[in-house]
Amino acid sequence: MNISPRMMLPLVALAAMAAPAMAQPAPSTRLVSRDGGDRLLVRGHRASPQAAVRINGRPVEVSGGTAWRIELPVATVREWSAGNARALHVTVGAYDAAGGDVATVRLPIGMLARDIELASLVVRAR
């Protein structure tokens, strides 16, 4: 099939609109155990190794280039988060009104939940 140059431009434009933009994967969290205690591993991607990373509004030093990672002590995550928080806010890039990429990243289930002492627990069999 022979397509004229005049027909190529609309076809290229349609193909560009149909293809989704290559977005960076969302950051992720995982609880890891180290000799010094439990830590929260946060991993993500950024467009440039120089792009700043903030967790809950606080600047952090991450390791890695465009694929970055940081391990935070659980005590630090508790201090930086509201009680019973279920997520962190991770900002990559500019931290202003124009803003960088902000992601809400889920914490491992129950990580910041308070301990509850039960006076009794009733279990019934059916």
Side-chain angles (χ1 to χ4, degrees), residues 5-65:
R6 289 179 55 197
M7 291 297 293
M8 280 303 270
L9 186 58
L11 290 175
V12 170
L14 281 174
M17 285 189 287
M22 293 296 290
Q24 297 290 349
S28 64
T29 61
R30 184 169 63 111
L31 201 56
V32 294
S33 293
R34 300 284 185 240
D35 292 337
D38 290 338
R39 301 174 76 79
L40 181 69
L41 171 64
V42 184
R43 290 190 281 194
H45 290 83
R46 55 189 173 177
S48 164
Q50 290 76 32
V53 177
R54 291 178 179 263
I55 296 180
N56 283 356
R58 290 179 164 75
V60 292
E61 289 291 324
V62 297
S63 60

Side-chain angles (χ1 to χ4, degrees), residues 64-121:
T66 56
W68 58 267
R69 64 180 277 149
I70 185 170
E71 289 185 15
L72 297 169
V74 171
T76 301
V77 177
R78 284 185 198 280
E79 182 182 317
W80 291 359
S81 302
N84 290 333
R86 295 183 179 168
L88 294 176
H89 299 288
V90 178
T91 307
V92 177
Y95 190 72
D96 55 17
D101 294 328
V102 180
T104 300
V105 184
R106 295 181 61 100
L107 290 170
I109 294 173
M111 182 179 154
L112 298 182
R114 287 179 274 175
D115 291 336
I116 299 174
E117 293 186 29
L118 299 175
S120 66
L121 177 65

